[in-house]
Amino acid sequence: MVSPDPVDARLLAMIAEMGRAAVHEVAARLGMDPREAAARLITLSGSGLPLLVGVECDPNGIRKALANSMAWGNYNGPPPAAQRQYPPYQAPPSVPFPAQPAAQQPQQTWGPPQTAGWARGDQQPMFGGSKGASGQRTGKIGTSLETEGLEGATFSIQLIEVVDPADFLFTAAGYKLADGERAVVVHTELTNTGAIPFNSLPDMYLVLMARTGEPVAKAPVSLSSRPPHKIGVQPGETAGGHTVYVLPEDTSITAVRWSARPEIDLNTLVWTIDD
């Protein structure tokens, strides 16, 4: 059996710790795309490991859904495997591994940790405005922008702060950066303002935008000192979480972008970061 790569090893370690769990729960705890986690687990299961990847459902509910022609229309099943398309998975540039906490390095923090406008050290606050009006899709750090999800949930997302660099937080959590890399931590809060539950991971497609226009996807790690997002926000609730990124040290970040799907659409939100 071929030894698993480091991402597979973290998946296996989490499975061994949890014993039994849904794929989306494992993915959420590791900050991964559930589809990527599922694909890896299925591959590992087929390699001879004592691992079973299964599906659980309400049989009657599934039968009713299949029988409901109004809901399914002319549904003829999924396309052949060769025709299926999934958004590409972007792994972080390096593979974190346990290390001794490093000495504290200077951090530059934009935005208010918790609620107040604040800037670390001699930096000035760089965020703008109050809660955005309905339909507002762009803002500064600290702004709360409103949008809706794929299942009809309406909610607002506030970009609380961006810690750049966040190398000390990263290494203090037991990870190590490769030469020429830096870590960034983004803190966001999602408030469900409607009557429909938000059933996704709030930062699934939260990306950093480089000055070159390229998106930087989140790293599949979480920090104990900065808890990650959890799946689901009920109506009337507010839930916060932190997203970790690993990127080249010289990459200049100009914005943070949120979308409900891999590609941008009319509901995409963008917070600009001033130099």
Side-chain angles (χ1 to χ4, degrees), residues 149-188:
L150 301 178
E151 299 176 350
T154 56
F155 48 89
S156 64
I157 299 178
Q158 183 179 15
L159 179 57
I160 303 295
E161 65 173 338
V162 177
V163 183
D164 183 11
D167 298 0
F168 173 69
L169 295 174
F170 196 79
T171 55
Y175 303 115
K176 185 177 180 179
L177 291 165
D179 292 339
E181 291 180 340
R182 80 178 193 269
V184 175
V185 174
V186 174
H187 181 191
T188 51

PDB file of all heavy atoms in Angstrom, residues 149-188:
ATOM      1  N   GLY A 149     -28.179  32.749  -0.602  1.00  0.00           N
ATOM      2  CA  GLY A 149     -27.529  31.502  -0.956  1.00  0.00           C
ATOM      3  C   GLY A 149     -28.246  30.747  -2.052  1.00  0.00           C
ATOM      4  O   GLY A 149     -29.286  31.182  -2.564  1.00  0.00           O
ATOM      5  N   LEU A 150     -27.708  29.589  -2.395  1.00  0.00           N
ATOM      6  CA  LEU A 150     -28.265  28.795  -3.488  1.00  0.00           C
ATOM      7  C   LEU A 150     -29.617  28.206  -3.144  1.00  0.00           C
ATOM      8  O   LEU A 150     -30.406  27.896  -4.035  1.00  0.00           O
ATOM      9  CB  LEU A 150     -27.281  27.667  -3.841  1.00  0.00           C
ATOM     10  CG  LEU A 150     -25.886  28.115  -4.273  1.00  0.00           C
ATOM     11  CD1 LEU A 150     -25.015  26.893  -4.540  1.00  0.00           C
ATOM     12  CD2 LEU A 150     -25.967  28.996  -5.512  1.00  0.00           C
ATOM     13  N   GLU A 151     -29.898  28.024  -1.843  1.00  0.00           N
ATOM     14  CA  GLU A 151     -31.163  27.422  -1.425  1.00  0.00           C
ATOM     15  C   GLU A 151     -32.195  28.456  -0.989  1.00  0.00           C
ATOM     16  O   GLU A 151     -33.214  28.110  -0.417  1.00  0.00           O
ATOM     17  CB  GLU A 151     -30.905  26.437  -0.284  1.00  0.00           C
ATOM     18  CG  GLU A 151     -29.984  25.290  -0.669  1.00  0.00           C
ATOM     19  CD  GLU A 151     -29.667  24.381   0.491  1.00  0.00           C
ATOM     20  OE1 GLU A 151     -30.001  24.744   1.637  1.00  0.00           O
ATOM     21  OE2 GLU A 151     -29.098  23.303   0.267  1.00  0.00           O
ATOM     22  N   GLY A 152     -31.931  29.733  -1.256  1.00  0.00           N
ATOM     23  CA  GLY A 152     -32.889  30.786  -0.947  1.00  0.00           C
ATOM     24  C   GLY A 152     -32.691  31.473   0.386  1.00  0.00           C
ATOM     25  O   GLY A 152     -33.449  32.387   0.726  1.00  0.00           O
ATOM     26  N   ALA A 153     -31.698  31.056   1.175  1.00  0.00           N
ATOM     27  CA  ALA A 153     -31.438  31.718   2.456  1.00  0.00           C
ATOM     28  C   ALA A 153     -30.924  33.128   2.207  1.00  0.00           C
ATOM     29  O   ALA A 153     -30.128  33.368   1.298  1.00  0.00           O
ATOM     30  CB  ALA A 153     -30.420  30.915   3.267  1.00  0.00           C
ATOM     31  N   THR A 154     -31.395  34.080   2.997  1.00  0.00           N
ATOM     32  CA  THR A 154     -30.914  35.457   2.922  1.00  0.00           C
ATOM     33  C   THR A 154     -30.094  35.746   4.169  1.00  0.00           C
ATOM     34  O   THR A 154     -30.483  35.386   5.280  1.00  0.00           O
ATOM     35  CB  THR A 154     -32.072  36.451   2.814  1.00  0.00           C
ATOM     36  OG1 THR A 154     -32.963  36.270   3.926  1.00  0.00           O
ATOM     37  CG2 THR A 154     -32.841  36.239   1.522  1.00  0.00           C
ATOM     38  N   PHE A 155     -28.978  36.405   3.978  1.00  0.00           N
ATOM     39  CA  PHE A 155     -28.069  36.619   5.096  1.00  0.00           C
ATOM     40  C   PHE A 155     -27.118  37.775   4.791  1.00  0.00           C
ATOM     41  O   PHE A 155     -27.037  38.260   3.653  1.00  0.00           O
ATOM     42  CB  PHE A 155     -27.264  35.345   5.379  1.00  0.00           C
ATOM     43  CG  PHE A 155     -26.647  34.729   4.153  1.00  0.00           C
ATOM     44  CD1 PHE A 155     -25.391  35.096   3.706  1.00  0.00           C
ATOM     45  CD2 PHE A 155     -27.357  33.782   3.424  1.00  0.00           C
ATOM     46  CE1 PHE A 155     -24.834  34.541   2.575  1.00  0.00           C
ATOM     47  CE2 PHE A 155     -26.808  33.205   2.276  1.00  0.00           C
ATOM     48  CZ  PHE A 155     -25.538  33.587   1.849  1.00  0.00           C
ATOM     49  N   SER A 156     -26.426  38.211   5.820  1.00  0.00           N
ATOM     50  CA  SER A 156     -25.384  39.218   5.658  1.00  0.00           C
ATOM     51  C   SER A 156     -24.074  38.632   6.151  1.00  0.00           C
ATOM     52  O   SER A 156     -24.053  37.793   7.053  1.00  0.00           O
ATOM     53  CB  SER A 156     -25.721  40.499   6.431  1.00  0.00           C
ATOM     54  OG  SER A 156     -25.760  40.244   7.832  1.00  0.00           O
ATOM     55  N   ILE A 157     -22.991  39.058   5.544  1.00  0.00           N
ATOM     56  CA  ILE A 157     -21.654  38.630   5.945  1.00  0.00           C
ATOM     57  C   ILE A 157     -20.827  39.870   6.259  1.00  0.00           C
ATOM     58  O   ILE A 157     -20.790  40.814   5.459  1.00  0.00           O
ATOM     59  CB  ILE A 157     -20.970  37.809   4.851  1.00  0.00           C
ATOM     60  CG1 ILE A 157     -21.783  36.540   4.549  1.00  0.00           C
ATOM     61  CG2 ILE A 157     -19.541  37.438   5.264  1.00  0.00           C
ATOM     62  CD1 ILE A 157     -21.194  35.691   3.443  1.00  0.00           C
ATOM     63  N   GLN A 158     -20.212  39.877   7.419  1.00  0.00           N
ATOM     64  CA  GLN A 158     -19.344  40.979   7.810  1.00  0.00           C
ATOM     65  C   GLN A 158     -17.901  40.499   7.842  1.00  0.00           C
ATOM     66  O   GLN A 158     -17.590  39.463   8.437  1.00  0.00           O
ATOM     67  CB  GLN A 158     -19.721  41.533   9.180  1.00  0.00           C
ATOM     68  CG  GLN A 158     -18.869  42.752   9.583  1.00  0.00           C
ATOM     69  CD  GLN A 158     -19.263  43.302  10.939  1.00  0.00           C
ATOM     70  OE1 GLN A 158     -19.966  42.646  11.705  1.00  0.00           O
ATOM     71  NE2 GLN A 158     -18.819  44.509  11.238  1.00  0.00           N
ATOM     72  N   LEU A 159     -17.041  41.233   7.155  1.00  0.00           N
ATOM     73  CA  LEU A 159     -15.612  40.952   7.215  1.00  0.00           C
ATOM     74  C   LEU A 159     -15.060  41.687   8.435  1.00  0.00           C
ATOM     75  O   LEU A 159     -14.917  42.905   8.424  1.00  0.00           O
ATOM     76  CB  LEU A 159     -14.918  41.413   5.936  1.00  0.00           C
ATOM     77  CG  LEU A 159     -13.409  41.200   5.859  1.00  0.00           C
ATOM     78  CD1 LEU A 159     -13.052  39.736   6.052  1.00  0.00           C
ATOM     79  CD2 LEU A 159     -12.859  41.703   4.536  1.00  0.00           C
ATOM     80  N   ILE A 160     -14.757  40.944   9.491  1.00  0.00           N
ATOM     81  CA  ILE A 160     -14.349  41.539  10.754  1.00  0.00           C
ATOM     82  C   ILE A 160     -12.904  42.025  10.717  1.00  0.00           C
ATOM     83  O   ILE A 160     -12.606  43.166  11.049  1.00  0.00           O
ATOM     84  CB  ILE A 160     -14.518  40.523  11.911  1.00  0.00           C
ATOM     85  CG1 ILE A 160     -15.975  40.031  11.981  1.00  0.00           C
ATOM     86  CG2 ILE A 160     -14.109  41.151  13.237  1.00  0.00           C
ATOM     87  CD1 ILE A 160     -16.975  41.084  12.332  1.00  0.00           C
ATOM     88  N   GLU A 161     -11.991  41.148  10.312  1.00  0.00           N
ATOM     89  CA  GLU A 161     -10.581  41.541  10.272  1.00  0.00           C
ATOM     90  C   GLU A 161      -9.791  40.654   9.336  1.00  0.00           C
ATOM     91  O   GLU A 161     -10.198  39.534   9.018  1.00  0.00           O
ATOM     92  CB  GLU A 161      -9.947  41.507  11.667  1.00  0.00           C
ATOM     93  CG  GLU A 161      -9.870  40.119  12.279  1.00  0.00           C
ATOM     94  CD  GLU A 161      -9.096  40.086  13.586  1.00  0.00           C
ATOM     95  OE1 GLU A 161      -8.279  40.998  13.823  1.00  0.00           O
ATOM     96  OE2 GLU A 161      -9.318  39.159  14.378  1.00  0.00           O
ATOM     97  N   VAL A 162      -8.662  41.193   8.902  1.00  0.00           N
ATOM     98  CA  VAL A 162      -7.694  40.451   8.106  1.00  0.00           C
ATOM     99  C   VAL A 162      -6.341  40.590   8.785  1.00  0.00           C
ATOM    100  O   VAL A 162      -5.836  41.699   8.936  1.00  0.00           O
ATOM    101  CB  VAL A 162      -7.615  40.988   6.656  1.00  0.00           C
ATOM    102  CG1 VAL A 162      -6.543  40.248   5.870  1.00  0.00           C
ATOM    103  CG2 VAL A 162      -8.959  40.870   5.961  1.00  0.00           C
ATOM    104  N   VAL A 163      -5.782  39.488   9.230  1.00  0.00           N
ATOM    105  CA  VAL A 163      -4.467  39.492   9.878  1.00  0.00           C
ATOM    106  C   VAL A 163      -3.435  39.074   8.836  1.00  0.00           C
ATOM    107  O   VAL A 163      -3.430  37.928   8.388  1.00  0.00           O
ATOM    108  CB  VAL A 163      -4.424  38.542  11.086  1.00  0.00           C
ATOM    109  CG1 VAL A 163      -3.067  38.620  11.773  1.00  0.00           C
ATOM    110  CG2 VAL A 163      -5.531  38.879  12.073  1.00  0.00           C
ATOM    111  N   ASP A 164      -2.576  40.008   8.445  1.00  0.00           N
ATOM    112  CA  ASP A 164      -1.598  39.755   7.391  1.00  0.00           C
ATOM    113  C   ASP A 164      -0.299  40.501   7.695  1.00  0.00           C
ATOM    114  O   ASP A 164      -0.280  41.721   7.678  1.00  0.00           O
ATOM    115  CB  ASP A 164      -2.176  40.214   6.056  1.00  0.00           C
ATOM    116  CG  ASP A 164      -1.252  39.927   4.883  1.00  0.00           C
ATOM    117  OD1 ASP A 164      -0.261  39.181   5.062  1.00  0.00           O
ATOM    118  OD2 ASP A 164      -1.516  40.443   3.782  1.00  0.00           O
ATOM    119  N   PRO A 165       0.778  39.787   8.017  1.00  0.00           N
ATOM    120  CA  PRO A 165       0.890  38.327   8.037  1.00  0.00           C
ATOM    121  C   PRO A 165       0.377  37.744   9.356  1.00  0.00           C
ATOM    122  O   PRO A 165       0.319  38.441  10.373  1.00  0.00           O
ATOM    123  CB  PRO A 165       2.394  38.096   7.905  1.00  0.00           C
ATOM    124  CG  PRO A 165       2.997  39.295   8.558  1.00  0.00           C
ATOM    125  CD  PRO A 165       2.077  40.447   8.222  1.00  0.00           C
ATOM    126  N   ALA A 166       0.035  36.466   9.307  1.00  0.00           N
ATOM    127  CA  ALA A 166      -0.419  35.755  10.500  1.00  0.00           C
ATOM    128  C   ALA A 166       0.503  34.563  10.781  1.00  0.00           C
ATOM    129  O   ALA A 166       0.073  33.526  11.256  1.00  0.00           O
ATOM    130  CB  ALA A 166      -1.860  35.289  10.318  1.00  0.00           C
ATOM    131  N   ASP A 167       1.788  34.744  10.465  1.00  0.00           N
ATOM    132  CA  ASP A 167       2.749  33.648  10.620  1.00  0.00           C
ATOM    133  C   ASP A 167       2.831  33.147  12.056  1.00  0.00           C
ATOM    134  O   ASP A 167       2.938  31.944  12.297  1.00  0.00           O
ATOM    135  CB  ASP A 167       4.133  34.101  10.153  1.00  0.00           C
ATOM    136  CG  ASP A 167       4.156  34.482   8.681  1.00  0.00           C
ATOM    137  OD1 ASP A 167       3.088  34.398   8.030  1.00  0.00           O
ATOM    138  OD2 ASP A 167       5.221  34.864   8.179  1.00  0.00           O
ATOM    139  N   PHE A 168       2.766  34.066  13.015  1.00  0.00           N
ATOM    140  CA  PHE A 168       2.879  33.654  14.414  1.00  0.00           C
ATOM    141  C   PHE A 168       1.693  32.788  14.816  1.00  0.00           C
ATOM    142  O   PHE A 168       1.851  31.767  15.502  1.00  0.00           O
ATOM    143  CB  PHE A 168       2.966  34.874  15.321  1.00  0.00           C
ATOM    144  CG  PHE A 168       2.903  34.532  16.783  1.00  0.00           C
ATOM    145  CD1 PHE A 168       3.945  33.861  17.392  1.00  0.00           C
ATOM    146  CD2 PHE A 168       1.792  34.846  17.545  1.00  0.00           C
ATOM    147  CE1 PHE A 168       3.900  33.524  18.734  1.00  0.00           C
ATOM    148  CE2 PHE A 168       1.734  34.508  18.883  1.00  0.00           C
ATOM    149  CZ  PHE A 168       2.778  33.844  19.482  1.00  0.00           C
ATOM    150  N   LEU A 169       0.496  33.166  14.403  1.00  0.00           N
ATOM    151  CA  LEU A 169      -0.685  32.361  14.708  1.00  0.00           C
ATOM    152  C   LEU A 169      -0.561  30.977  14.081  1.00  0.00           C
ATOM    153  O   LEU A 169      -0.950  29.964  14.670  1.00  0.00           O
ATOM    154  CB  LEU A 169      -1.948  33.056  14.184  1.00  0.00           C
ATOM    155  CG  LEU A 169      -2.311  34.397  14.822  1.00  0.00           C
ATOM    156  CD1 LEU A 169      -3.502  35.012  14.091  1.00  0.00           C
ATOM    157  CD2 LEU A 169      -2.612  34.236  16.295  1.00  0.00           C
ATOM    158  N   PHE A 170      -0.020  30.931  12.874  1.00  0.00           N
ATOM    159  CA  PHE A 170       0.120  29.678  12.133  1.00  0.00           C
ATOM    160  C   PHE A 170       1.112  28.739  12.824  1.00  0.00           C
ATOM    161  O   PHE A 170       0.822  27.558  13.044  1.00  0.00           O
ATOM    162  CB  PHE A 170       0.590  30.002  10.708  1.00  0.00           C
ATOM    163  CG  PHE A 170       0.426  28.879   9.725  1.00  0.00           C
ATOM    164  CD1 PHE A 170      -0.793  28.604   9.149  1.00  0.00           C
ATOM    165  CD2 PHE A 170       1.512  28.106   9.349  1.00  0.00           C
ATOM    166  CE1 PHE A 170      -0.952  27.585   8.231  1.00  0.00           C
ATOM    167  CE2 PHE A 170       1.376  27.083   8.431  1.00  0.00           C
ATOM    168  CZ  PHE A 170       0.145  26.818   7.872  1.00  0.00           C
ATOM    169  N   THR A 171       2.288  29.261  13.172  1.00  0.00           N
ATOM    170  CA  THR A 171       3.305  28.416  13.793  1.00  0.00           C
ATOM    171  C   THR A 171       2.945  28.069  15.232  1.00  0.00           C
ATOM    172  O   THR A 171       3.274  26.985  15.710  1.00  0.00           O
ATOM    173  CB  THR A 171       4.672  29.115  13.746  1.00  0.00           C
ATOM    174  OG1 THR A 171       4.579  30.417  14.352  1.00  0.00           O
ATOM    175  CG2 THR A 171       5.141  29.278  12.307  1.00  0.00           C
ATOM    176  N   ALA A 172       2.247  28.975  15.927  1.00  0.00           N
ATOM    177  CA  ALA A 172       1.847  28.688  17.300  1.00  0.00           C
ATOM    178  C   ALA A 172       0.840  27.548  17.354  1.00  0.00           C
ATOM    179  O   ALA A 172       0.701  26.890  18.383  1.00  0.00           O
ATOM    180  CB  ALA A 172       1.250  29.946  17.940  1.00  0.00           C
ATOM    181  N   ALA A 173       0.139  27.298  16.232  1.00  0.00           N
ATOM    182  CA  ALA A 173      -0.830  26.203  16.184  1.00  0.00           C
ATOM    183  C   ALA A 173      -0.161  24.869  15.842  1.00  0.00           C
ATOM    184  O   ALA A 173      -0.833  23.844  15.748  1.00  0.00           O
ATOM    185  CB  ALA A 173      -1.915  26.512  15.155  1.00  0.00           C
ATOM    186  N   GLY A 174       1.164  24.883  15.666  1.00  0.00           N
ATOM    187  CA  GLY A 174       1.873  23.642  15.393  1.00  0.00           C
ATOM    188  C   GLY A 174       2.160  23.377  13.934  1.00  0.00           C
ATOM    189  O   GLY A 174       2.503  22.265  13.559  1.00  0.00           O
ATOM    190  N   TYR A 175       2.027  24.392  13.082  1.00  0.00           N
ATOM    191  CA  TYR A 175       2.309  24.243  11.662  1.00  0.00           C
ATOM    192  C   TYR A 175       3.593  24.975  11.312  1.00  0.00           C
ATOM    193  O   TYR A 175       4.090  25.801  12.082  1.00  0.00           O
ATOM    194  CB  TYR A 175       1.156  24.779  10.809  1.00  0.00           C
ATOM    195  CG  TYR A 175      -0.174  24.147  11.090  1.00  0.00           C
ATOM    196  CD1 TYR A 175      -1.222  24.889  11.627  1.00  0.00           C
ATOM    197  CD2 TYR A 175      -0.386  22.804  10.820  1.00  0.00           C
ATOM    198  CE1 TYR A 175      -2.452  24.308  11.894  1.00  0.00           C
ATOM    199  CE2 TYR A 175      -1.616  22.208  11.078  1.00  0.00           C
ATOM    200  CZ  TYR A 175      -2.639  22.972  11.614  1.00  0.00           C
ATOM    201  OH  TYR A 175      -3.851  22.392  11.868  1.00  0.00           O
ATOM    202  N   LYS A 176       4.120  24.688  10.137  1.00  0.00           N
ATOM    203  CA  LYS A 176       5.354  25.323   9.686  1.00  0.00           C
ATOM    204  C   LYS A 176       5.208  25.810   8.262  1.00  0.00           C
ATOM    205  O   LYS A 176       4.680  25.102   7.400  1.00  0.00           O
ATOM    206  CB  LYS A 176       6.524  24.347   9.795  1.00  0.00           C
ATOM    207  CG  LYS A 176       7.873  24.971   9.451  1.00  0.00           C
ATOM    208  CD  LYS A 176       9.004  23.982   9.648  1.00  0.00           C
ATOM    209  CE  LYS A 176      10.348  24.606   9.304  1.00  0.00           C
ATOM    210  NZ  LYS A 176      11.464  23.638   9.513  1.00  0.00           N
ATOM    211  N   LEU A 177       5.673  27.024   8.017  1.00  0.00           N
ATOM    212  CA  LEU A 177       5.651  27.587   6.672  1.00  0.00           C
ATOM    213  C   LEU A 177       6.965  27.281   5.968  1.00  0.00           C
ATOM    214  O   LEU A 177       8.027  27.243   6.593  1.00  0.00           O
ATOM    215  CB  LEU A 177       5.459  29.108   6.739  1.00  0.00           C
ATOM    216  CG  LEU A 177       4.099  29.610   7.222  1.00  0.00           C
ATOM    217  CD1 LEU A 177       4.186  31.081   7.592  1.00  0.00           C
ATOM    218  CD2 LEU A 177       3.034  29.393   6.161  1.00  0.00           C
ATOM    219  N   ALA A 178       6.883  27.073   4.665  1.00  0.00           N
ATOM    220  CA  ALA A 178       8.092  26.896   3.870  1.00  0.00           C
ATOM    221  C   ALA A 178       8.731  28.257   3.637  1.00  0.00           C
ATOM    222  O   ALA A 178       8.099  29.306   3.806  1.00  0.00           O
ATOM    223  CB  ALA A 178       7.757  26.223   2.542  1.00  0.00           C
ATOM    224  N   ASP A 179       9.995  28.238   3.253  1.00  0.00           N
ATOM    225  CA  ASP A 179      10.687  29.494   2.944  1.00  0.00           C
ATOM    226  C   ASP A 179       9.945  30.222   1.826  1.00  0.00           C
ATOM    227  O   ASP A 179       9.531  29.612   0.837  1.00  0.00           O
ATOM    228  CB  ASP A 179      12.125  29.219   2.514  1.00  0.00           C
ATOM    229  CG  ASP A 179      12.985  28.684   3.660  1.00  0.00           C
ATOM    230  OD1 ASP A 179      12.600  28.909   4.829  1.00  0.00           O
ATOM    231  OD2 ASP A 179      14.015  28.050   3.379  1.00  0.00           O
ATOM    232  N   GLY A 180       9.781  31.521   1.994  1.00  0.00           N
ATOM    233  CA  GLY A 180       9.119  32.323   0.972  1.00  0.00           C
ATOM    234  C   GLY A 180       7.607  32.321   1.050  1.00  0.00           C
ATOM    235  O   GLY A 180       6.937  32.817   0.150  1.00  0.00           O
ATOM    236  N   GLU A 181       7.035  31.781   2.134  1.00  0.00           N
ATOM    237  CA  GLU A 181       5.581  31.773   2.297  1.00  0.00           C
ATOM    238  C   GLU A 181       5.175  32.593   3.514  1.00  0.00           C
ATOM    239  O   GLU A 181       5.969  32.813   4.429  1.00  0.00           O
ATOM    240  CB  GLU A 181       5.070  30.342   2.473  1.00  0.00           C
ATOM    241  CG  GLU A 181       5.179  29.485   1.239  1.00  0.00           C
ATOM    242  CD  GLU A 181       4.646  28.091   1.483  1.00  0.00           C
ATOM    243  OE1 GLU A 181       4.549  27.681   2.657  1.00  0.00           O
ATOM    244  OE2 GLU A 181       4.340  27.416   0.496  1.00  0.00           O
ATOM    245  N   ARG A 182       3.916  33.001   3.511  1.00  0.00           N
ATOM    246  CA  ARG A 182       3.346  33.670   4.681  1.00  0.00           C
ATOM    247  C   ARG A 182       1.914  33.175   4.871  1.00  0.00           C
ATOM    248  O   ARG A 182       1.301  32.655   3.933  1.00  0.00           O
ATOM    249  CB  ARG A 182       3.376  35.186   4.539  1.00  0.00           C
ATOM    250  CG  ARG A 182       2.275  35.814   3.677  1.00  0.00           C
ATOM    251  CD  ARG A 182       2.407  37.339   3.686  1.00  0.00           C
ATOM    252  NE  ARG A 182       1.262  38.030   3.148  1.00  0.00           N
ATOM    253  CZ  ARG A 182       1.102  38.375   1.884  1.00  0.00           C
ATOM    254  NH1 ARG A 182       2.010  38.043   0.989  1.00  0.00           N
ATOM    255  NH2 ARG A 182       0.017  39.041   1.490  1.00  0.00           N
ATOM    256  N   ALA A 183       1.403  33.355   6.060  1.00  0.00           N
ATOM    257  CA  ALA A 183       0.024  32.971   6.368  1.00  0.00           C
ATOM    258  C   ALA A 183      -0.827  34.220   6.536  1.00  0.00           C
ATOM    259  O   ALA A 183      -0.339  35.278   6.952  1.00  0.00           O
ATOM    260  CB  ALA A 183      -0.027  32.134   7.636  1.00  0.00           C
ATOM    261  N   VAL A 184      -2.095  34.096   6.198  1.00  0.00           N
ATOM    262  CA  VAL A 184      -3.084  35.166   6.382  1.00  0.00           C
ATOM    263  C   VAL A 184      -4.306  34.542   7.036  1.00  0.00           C
ATOM    264  O   VAL A 184      -4.712  33.436   6.673  1.00  0.00           O
ATOM    265  CB  VAL A 184      -3.467  35.822   5.040  1.00  0.00           C
ATOM    266  CG1 VAL A 184      -4.580  36.853   5.238  1.00  0.00           C
ATOM    267  CG2 VAL A 184      -2.256  36.474   4.386  1.00  0.00           C
ATOM    268  N   VAL A 185      -4.896  35.245   8.001  1.00  0.00           N
ATOM    269  CA  VAL A 185      -6.108  34.770   8.670  1.00  0.00           C
ATOM    270  C   VAL A 185      -7.212  35.810   8.476  1.00  0.00           C
ATOM    271  O   VAL A 185      -7.000  37.005   8.722  1.00  0.00           O
ATOM    272  CB  VAL A 185      -5.875  34.525  10.171  1.00  0.00           C
ATOM    273  CG1 VAL A 185      -7.197  34.171  10.868  1.00  0.00           C
ATOM    274  CG2 VAL A 185      -4.866  33.408  10.382  1.00  0.00           C
ATOM    275  N   VAL A 186      -8.375  35.353   8.026  1.00  0.00           N
ATOM    276  CA  VAL A 186      -9.529  36.233   7.789  1.00  0.00           C
ATOM    277  C   VAL A 186     -10.654  35.839   8.738  1.00  0.00           C
ATOM    278  O   VAL A 186     -11.000  34.659   8.842  1.00  0.00           O
ATOM    279  CB  VAL A 186      -9.995  36.131   6.326  1.00  0.00           C
ATOM    280  CG1 VAL A 186     -11.283  36.930   6.121  1.00  0.00           C
ATOM    281  CG2 VAL A 186      -8.917  36.620   5.380  1.00  0.00           C
ATOM    282  N   HIS A 187     -11.233  36.818   9.426  1.00  0.00           N
ATOM    283  CA  HIS A 187     -12.324  36.599  10.372  1.00  0.00           C
ATOM    284  C   HIS A 187     -13.609  37.158   9.770  1.00  0.00           C
ATOM    285  O   HIS A 187     -13.693  38.348   9.441  1.00  0.00           O
ATOM    286  CB  HIS A 187     -12.007  37.291  11.699  1.00  0.00           C
ATOM    287  CG  HIS A 187     -13.062  37.112  12.751  1.00  0.00           C
ATOM    288  ND1 HIS A 187     -13.068  37.827  13.926  1.00  0.00           N
ATOM    289  CD2 HIS A 187     -14.151  36.302  12.803  1.00  0.00           C
ATOM    290  CE1 HIS A 187     -14.107  37.462  14.660  1.00  0.00           C
ATOM    291  NE2 HIS A 187     -14.781  36.542  13.987  1.00  0.00           N
ATOM    292  N   THR A 188     -14.626  36.322   9.597  1.00  0.00           N
ATOM    293  CA  THR A 188     -15.914  36.750   9.068  1.00  0.00           C
ATOM    294  C   THR A 188     -17.049  36.263   9.966  1.00  0.00           C
ATOM    295  O   THR A 188     -16.896  35.295  10.707  1.00  0.00           O
ATOM    296  CB  THR A 188     -16.148  36.208   7.643  1.00  0.00           C
ATOM    297  OG1 THR A 188     -15.914  34.795   7.629  1.00  0.00           O
ATOM    298  CG2 THR A 188     -15.232  36.877   6.638  1.00  0.00           C
TER     299      THR A 188
END
